[in-house]
Structures are given as C-alpha cells and as structure tokens.
Amino acid sequence: NVPERRLSVPVLVIGTGGAGLRAAIELAERGVGVLAVGKRPKTDAHTTMAAGGINAALGTMDPEDSPLQHAADTIKESYLLAHPDTVRIVTENAERGIDDLVRYGMPFAREADGRISQRFFGAHTWRRTAFSGDYTGLEIQRTLVRRAAELAVPILDTLYITRLLVRDNVVFGAYGFDLNDGTRHVIHADAVVLATGGHTRTWRRTSSRRDENTGDTFRLAVLAGARIRDPELVQFHPSGLLDPEDAAGTLVSEAARGEGGHLRNADGERFMRRYDPERMELSTRDRVALAAFTEIRAGRGTPKGGVWLDVSHLPRETIMERLPRVHRTLLELQMLDITEKPIEIAPTAHYSMGGVRVRPEDHGTDVEGLFAIGEAASGLHGANRLGGNSLIELLVYGRITGRAAAEYSASLSAQQRSARAVEEARREIDELLARDGRENVRVLQRAVRDIMTEHAGVVRDEAGLLQGLLELDEVEERFAGLGVHPDIAGHQDLAHAFDLQGTALAARATLEAALERRETRGCHNRSDFPALDPSLRVNLVWSGPGKIDREEIPPVPDEIASLMREVDTSSHELVE
Ligand code: FAD
C-alpha cells in the first residue's frame, strides 16, 4: 500500500533548470496554472554551472552586430546541421530574452555608462556575450527562481518523473515518486514541457553534475512516442579533471589556456605545436580536445590517462586574479596548488547538441501536447555549439513554448486519460523495487560509462562502435539481476535504477547514430571516415533500437549564407 498523490494542473513543466523555470514563469505571467518539478534542488540545477555568458546581438560594444550575423555564426559553427528556422527564432528573440532577465532583476556586468557589457566568445564575429562575472548561469538561475517565487509558481524539486502518461499519442501528464519518502505522484496535465537536460553523464568524465544529464530526457521522450535527433552529436570540452572519481570531468575553464597555460604530454612536449602551430593552446575547443585525445591514445598520456595543463609559470597574481575559480576548485578537489604544479586533464563530455526532435516554431514534439526545451531539445547547435548559445536558447524557447503550451491547454475541450497507462507506470516502479539481485546500480552505471568513454568518445570508428553495442547488450542483460534498496535516507537507489535505464537508452541511441554518421563533422570524428560528406548534411532521427531516419535540413537563407564568412577566432577570449 504505497501512498499515491494525485495532482491536476493545466501545464506540467518537468525540469527546474533555466529552461523549465523560464517556461513556468511565462505560464504564470499569463495566468495559466502550472506546476514545475525537478529531481534536484531548484537552486542547484545544472544551469548554475554555466560560467562564461549568454549571447544576444545587442550591439552594446560592437554596433555592427546583428541577429543575422549571430545566425550566420551559429549555422557556420554547427557545420550546417542547425535548423535555419530555429537559429533565426533564437537570434531574433535573443534581445527579448535578455530584456526579460533584466526585468526580473538579473545583475548583468555593465560598462560605466550603464550599457550591458559584452565580450568575445570563440567563433563569434562580434562581442555579443553578456555575463555576470564567471557566474552567469548561477545568476540566471537565482533570478529565475526569485521571479518564480514572486509569481508563486508551485515547485516540487524532490520529484523523480519516471514516465510520461500518453493515450493515443496525446500526452496527459506524468508519473513519478518523491525522492525522500517514495510517495508516488500521478500528475494529470493538458500539456507537458520536458526540460530535463542532456545525456552527458553517459560518459565517465563529464562537466555535468553527478546524477543529472543521465539521459532521462531520451528515455521519457522515446517511451512516450517522441524521437531523438542527432544523439551522436556531443561536445567534448578539452579540459576535465581526472579525479577524484565522483568529480571526474569537472571543468577547468578555458580561461586557463586563454591566460597563457601550456598543454604538455607525458614527455613534456607542448603538443599543440603539431596540431595547430599558429594558435597553439588558443585553438578551438574541438581541435584541442581532439589533440589531447590523440596524444593519450598514442601512449603519450600521463599515467592516469590525461595530459598536463600547466599555469605554474604564470605570475601568482595573474592566477589569483584571473583564475580564482580554477585555483579554488583544484585546492578543494585535489589539494593541488596550481601556482606550483600542473593539472592533469582529459577531454570531458560537456554538452548534448542532439536531443528531442521538435518543431522550430513552438518546440512541439511528435506527441500531441508534449513540448521539449533547453538542452533536452535539438535544432540550434548542429555539430558544434557556439559558446554562450545554450543559455539564450533557454530564455527564448522557455518563453515561446510556455505560450504555446498555454494555448494548447486552452484549446483542449477534454483531457483523454488512460487508467492503463497509469497502471503501467505504477507497475514499473513496483517491479524495480521488488528486485533483490546482487547487481549494483552504481557498478552498472559505471560499466555503461566505461563503454561510452572507450568506444564513443572524441574519436570513433565502426569497429569500436559495434564493440560498444555488443558490450552494452551484455551490461543490459545484467539489469535483470539488480538489487534496488531504498533506505531510511530516501529513494536514491530507485532513482539511480531509473537513471541507469535512461543512460543505457541514451548510450544505445548515441552508438547507433554515431555508426550511421559515416563522416567527420564538427564534434563527431570518425577515424575511418575522416572527411566531411556533403551528402550527410541531414539530421539523424532515432526512434528506438535499430530505427534511424534521415531528415533533410532546409537550405540556409541567402541573407544568412552571405554573412557566413571565415571567422578568425584566434584573438577571441576563451571563457566558458
Ligand atoms: P538543466 O539545467 O540541466 O536542468 C534540467 C532539470 O531537469 C533539472 O532541474 C533536473 O533536476 C530535472 N530533471 C532531469 N531528469 C528528471 C527527472 N527524471 N525527473 C524530474 N526532473 C528531472 N552554456 C552557455 O550558454 N554559456 C555558458 O557559459 C555555459 N557554461 C557552462 C559551463 C559548464 C561547466 C557546463 C556544464 C555547462 C555550461 N553551459 C553553458 C551549458 C548550459 O549550462 C546548459 O546547457 C543549460 O544550463 C541547460 O539548462 P536546462 O534548463 O536545459 O537543463
């Protein structure tokens, strides 16, 4: 007799990061009933980790900038895989997104005369990244949490959603449990906005937090009948920490290279000389990640499997003034003083460019009433994300989708429910809780992450990807032997069992799409297909094991294409 709570609300927002909160605020501002739920404290969502900034062609520093130029830079950096309509919507509405934040009280850095300051990020033509120190994401999250509180948006941030409730391809809510006491929740809703983040914790090293970005989005969406676009397109950041284990992948800001840090292999060689002699350590993120990966693979890595990032030759004052966060992080995590010793780093999974396939105009999915936004969605970044574009996407589509969900809810004459769908969701949890085998969830999670790190990292090839799928089959067979044991401290073990299923599904989607994309494009490096194949300017849409369709991408409009010139990024600050 497990307690079950029943709730009913016009719009349910799943995810209390920047995207989910912005959508919830839009709904509340329109007077539409909304409930936002998350599986981590709202003040500590993944969005808080974003450091460097948020893009909009405000032209406060460079009046020549324009939304069209922002669009051109975005599409160019996406290696032509971004959807031009999505890009246009984001870049044209970006100023409005910043205005909204200002209206909510966001403390942007400003020039002496009051203009919002804007700085360069790699591969932008003009200075268009607004920021708040190197805590931009934290300030955005704080601002949105405060605004949601002013509007009295109800938020349950200890609720783990296990299933979307769907009848005849129409969503009618979601099912989940409370992480503290296990109380089940049936939430009926006319419309559901999925804002549950990406799948970067599918790899062993990730710049994301523990227990977020575990692929929940993929699992929830696919089981509901939606599809995933380009799961193979994952951005790897060159500098993630190797240990401690529970913080593996924690980001060392690119500012460490920007300020003059040197990268060395185990032989002490500054290896970027061989990969990008002109720009050396200031080369682009994908190139540096590829170079570090190649060094490690070639046996020139450190004993733990990384390379060295050394800032110890810089004046101590420079480090303390310009890299305080890096200095503090290394002291806290490794008791390492970077003014004296080098940092051991390796590429780390950083951002899911792929995600739920959505319509550009409102981010509706293949399931009626179901929307997806933020890192959970896809369409803006293609094969490489322009730094600073993720945060603005949250603001723009949070607003647009909030409105669309409100209109959809208002247009429904009746909500079609299904007792069977609820019963299935209920039974799924019961079955997991009944498992008393010897397999440990954490061990299996680690096994999936090892597979992905080994076979679907920065560089991929057919043999490795096929091997990865075989090994994934083997790990999945072990799921039957799981033991799931909630304890007095809460239902974390159950949550991890669901995380594991999301991670495994996201891993399969990624491996299969990576096999299918027989080319090298942006973040996706195939050593057996080292060139870009123009005929593969398509999105790969995954709807379940073995099911991938190719989808054409509309041509880039002339007025944007004409602005897509070669961009010199060498002098640009590296900050994210
Ligand atoms: P998230 O913030 O990941 O929120 C997801 C929400 O979904 C959370 O509330 C989570 O609890 C909830 N959730 C997930 N699964 C479930 C479930 N099953 N049940 C219930 N709730 C669930 N981008 C930029 O533009 N500029 C930057 O400078 C920048 N710097 C970055 C630095 C770092 C170190 C990292 C890691 C990322 C950075 N990014 C940056 C990327 C950016 O931070 C993220 O893409 C963005 O914050 C994602 O926001 P989101 O709202 O989509 O998802």
Side-chain angles (χ1 to χ4, degrees):
N1 266 345
V2 187
E4 193 172 76
R5 200 174 162 203
R6 295 175 86 81
L7 300 168
S8 185
V9 66
V11 183
L12 170 66
V13 176
I14 309 175
T16 53
L21 287 179
R22 180 63 189 89
I25 288 168
E26 185 64 21
L27 285 149
E29 285 183 345
R30 289 172 174 271
V32 178
V34 56
L35 168 67
V37 302
K39 66 173 184 175
R40 283 184 58 85
K42 57 183 179 288
T43 47
D44 196 29
H46 175 72
T47 295
T48 59
M49 305 185 81
I54 174 167
N55 300 334
L58 305 176
T60 58
M61 315 295 284
D62 296 317
E64 305 91 324
D65 200 8
S66 66
L68 273 183
Q69 186 61 57
H70 185 186
D73 293 351
T74 301
I75 293 179
K76 180 170 184 296
E77 191 68 5
S78 82
Y79 290 78
L80 300 181
L81 293 193
H83 195 298
D85 295 347
T86 305
V87 173
R88 198 158 192 157
I89 288 171
V90 169
T91 54
E92 280 175 0
N93 287 280
E95 182 165 2
R96 167 80 191 267
I98 301 286
D99 288 349
D100 286 341
L101 282 176
V102 170
R103 182 159 60 89
Y104 304 153
M106 167 88 184
F108 279 114
R110 289 181 183 267
E111 299 295 298
D113 61 5
R115 279 173 299 153
I116 289 180
S117 302
Q118 296 197 278
R119 61 184 172 198
F120 269 127
F121 252 21
H124 287 269
T125 303
W126 305 107
R127 286 174 290 181
R128 68 166 72 97
T129 304
F131 57 95
S132 188
D134 61 354
Y135 289 98
T136 311
L138 181 64
E139 290 296 354
I140 289 178
Q141 187 72 9
R142 277 185 184 151
T143 302
L144 295 175
V145 167
R146 202 171 47 233
R147 178 65 182 151
E150 283 166 12
L151 293 162
V153 172
I155 295 179
L156 300 176
D157 56 4
T158 57
L159 201 63
Y160 193 111
I161 296 298
T162 56
R163 278 276 177 160
L164 299 176
L165 299 172
V166 179
R167 174 178 161 168
D168 298 335
N169 202 39
V170 182
V171 76
F172 67 92
Y175 194 87
F177 65 91
D178 186 278
L179 284 156
N180 293 328
D181 62 15
T183 304
R184 309 285 178 85
H185 283 65
V186 187
I187 308 169
H188 288 121
D190 298 337
V192 175
V193 179
L194 200 53
T196 36
H199 72 306
T200 45
R201 268 211 79 77
T202 308
W203 285 262
R204 196 166 61 226
R205 273 189 302 274
T206 159
S207 60
S208 148
R209 252 177 232 287
R210 231 177 147 71
D211 301 335
E212 273 195 311
N213 297 288
T214 38
D216 303 28
T217 296
F218 283 37
R219 182 175 169 278
L220 291 170
V222 169
L223 292 182
R227 296 181 290 161
I228 307 297
R229 180 162 53 190
D230 296 334
E232 78 284 10
L233 300 180
V234 174
Q235 184 171 62
F236 285 84
H237 196 287
S239 46
L241 295 183
L242 277 89
D243 50 15
E245 173 68 27
D246 64 357
T250 297
L251 221 59
V252 176
S253 165
E254 287 186 354
R257 288 187 283 121
E259 291 299 333
H262 292 164
L263 285 167
R264 294 185 199 281
N265 60 22
D267 304 331
E269 181 203 1
R270 277 180 73 188
F271 58 84
M272 284 310 295
R273 199 168 283 139
R274 277 184 282 115
Y275 299 90
D276 191 347
E278 270 179 32
R279 291 185 286 188
M280 296 288 286
E281 282 85 358
L282 294 180
S283 185
T284 53
R285 186 180 291 180
D286 49 344
R287 280 184 181 220
V288 179
L290 181 58
F293 180 89
T294 309
E295 290 299 300
I296 297 163
R297 268 288 155 94
R300 293 187 289 273
T302 59
K304 284 186 192 153
V307 293
W308 299 112
L309 171 58
D310 194 0
V311 292
S312 64
H313 56 283
L314 300 175
R316 189 180 158 78
E317 310 77 66
T318 307
I319 293 175
M320 301 313 283
E321 268 171 35
R322 312 284 300 213
L323 304 170
R325 213 174 176 180
V326 181
H327 182 255
R328 204 190 52 234
T329 303
L330 267 295
L331 270 182
E332 279 172 11
L333 293 178
Q334 296 183 359
M335 289 297 285
L336 181 99
D337 184 350
I338 62 168
T339 64
E340 290 178 3
K341 290 197 171 129
I343 314 165
E344 205 169 357
I345 55 150
T348 179
H350 184 51
Y351 186 85
S352 303
M353 264 97 59
V356 182
R357 182 192 173 280
V358 288
R359 295 186 292 264
E361 60 274 21
D362 62 357
H363 272 208
T365 66
D366 301 313
V367 179
E368 240 179 274
L370 178 65
F371 301 82
I373 49 172
E375 198 167 334
S378 62
L380 178 64
H381 313 289
N384 206 19
R385 176 178 68 99
L386 203 55
N389 263 3
S390 165
L391 290 176
I392 196 59
E393 182 186 14
L394 312 182
L395 270 292
V396 170
Y397 275 112
R399 180 176 66 78
I400 291 175
T401 301
R403 187 186 60 205
E407 286 167 0
Y408 174 80
S409 166
S411 74
L412 268 196
S413 49
Q415 202 183 85
Q416 302 287 323
R417 298 178 179 172
S418 152
R420 204 172 71 194
V422 177
E423 184 49 35
E424 269 172 28
R426 205 175 271 139
R427 217 173 31 231
E428 182 176 50
I429 299 183
D430 291 343
E431 276 173 14
L432 265 179
L433 283 173
R435 295 204 196 168
D436 193 23
R438 301 181 79 104
E439 292 284 3
N440 179 285
V441 174
R442 287 303 207 188
V443 171
L444 294 182
Q445 270 178 330
R446 174 63 192 247
V448 176
R449 288 171 187 153
D450 282 347
I451 293 170
M452 295 302 281
T453 305
E454 184 62 26
H455 301 299
V458 178
V459 181
R460 299 133 179 213
D461 63 25
E462 181 165 304
L465 292 165
L466 288 172
Q467 179 62 24
L469 281 167
L470 268 183
E471 292 176 16
L472 185 61
D473 288 342
E474 285 164 19
V475 173
E476 280 187 335
E477 277 167 25
R478 291 165 60 192
F479 287 9
L482 268 181
V484 180
H485 305 290
D487 59 22
I488 192 163
H491 280 59
Q492 290 299 339
D493 209 31
L494 180 61
H496 293 154
F498 277 102
D499 286 352
L500 171 64
Q501 296 183 40
T503 304
L505 186 137
R508 185 169 296 281
T510 306
L511 288 164
E512 290 188 358
L515 257 177
E516 182 74 12
R517 190 170 285 290
R518 293 181 186 81
E519 63 165 347
T520 288
R521 188 187 287 261
C523 65
H524 176 71
N525 296 287
R526 283 281 301 254
S527 56
D528 46 352
F529 293 95
L532 185 144
D533 176 354
S535 74
L536 281 174
R537 185 189 169 237
V538 291
N539 294 130
L540 298 180
V541 182
W542 191 88
S543 48
K547 289 187 270 179
I548 298 183
D549 294 310
R550 291 183 180 194
E551 199 169 71
E552 293 297 318
I553 304 168
V556 180
D558 287 346
E559 66 274 28
I560 296 179
S562 63
L563 294 171
M564 285 167 54
R565 56 195 151 82
E566 278 304 309
V567 181
D568 170 24
T569 58
S570 56
S571 61
H572 294 177
E573 219 178 324
L574 303 167
V575 260
E576 190 175 307

